[in-house]
Amino acid sequence: MHSSAEPERTPDGRYIVVGGRRWRATDPEIPEDVAADLRLHLMAARRAVAASRRNEDPEAEALARSRVHTAKVALGERGTPWWKQSHAERRRRWEAGAAELDADRSGD
């Protein structure tokens, strides 16, 4: 599969399928600019996890993993499934996650 190709989705759109495994899809109601920013936070946090492991820094690793989790929840990929939340709950979820991650970034 080409890296820019969209992954296969289940018929209900709730999951993507990668290598035969289902993963919860990002909440489709998140505005694309917000989702893109959340993905940037997610990738930076994943890089921080890798760096902290290379440096054998468990404290930094825990912080980085917390940021990964915050980004994944904000994207709707963890926590209460986005299809079980009202529009207002979904909006609060992604806005709160983005605000938390942005605040962490400004503290770097």
Side-chain angles (χ1 to χ4, degrees):
M1 175 178 354
H2 187 272
S3 63
S4 65
E6 288 292 315
E8 176 188 350
R9 286 187 172 262
T10 57
D12 60 13
R14 295 175 178 173
Y15 300 90
I16 61 169
V17 180
V18 179
R21 185 167 177 192
R22 286 186 336 162
W23 300 91
R24 194 183 309 170
T26 296
D27 183 344
E29 283 193 23
I30 301 173
E32 183 49 39
D33 61 323
V34 176
D37 194 44
L38 289 169
R39 286 190 297 270
L40 288 174
H41 281 295
L42 175 61
M43 300 317 321
R46 286 179 169 164
R47 286 189 300 273
V49 167
S52 64
R53 289 178 57 105
R54 279 191 306 275
N55 296 329
E56 298 179 4
D57 185 344
E59 188 174 315
E61 182 179 352
L63 178 60
R65 287 187 183 280
S66 175
R67 289 178 51 81
V68 166
H69 181 72
T70 298
K72 298 285 278 179
V73 169
L75 286 163
E77 297 173 9
R78 287 188 184 160
T80 303
W82 48 261
W83 57 89
K84 293 185 177 182
Q85 295 178 314
S86 69
H87 178 72
E89 290 170 322
R90 291 162 82 174
R91 183 176 209 64
R92 280 192 299 273
R93 184 199 67 240
W94 79 64
E95 286 177 346
E100 180 179 339
L101 291 164
D102 286 342
D104 285 349
R105 180 191 300 167
S106 67
D108 290 343

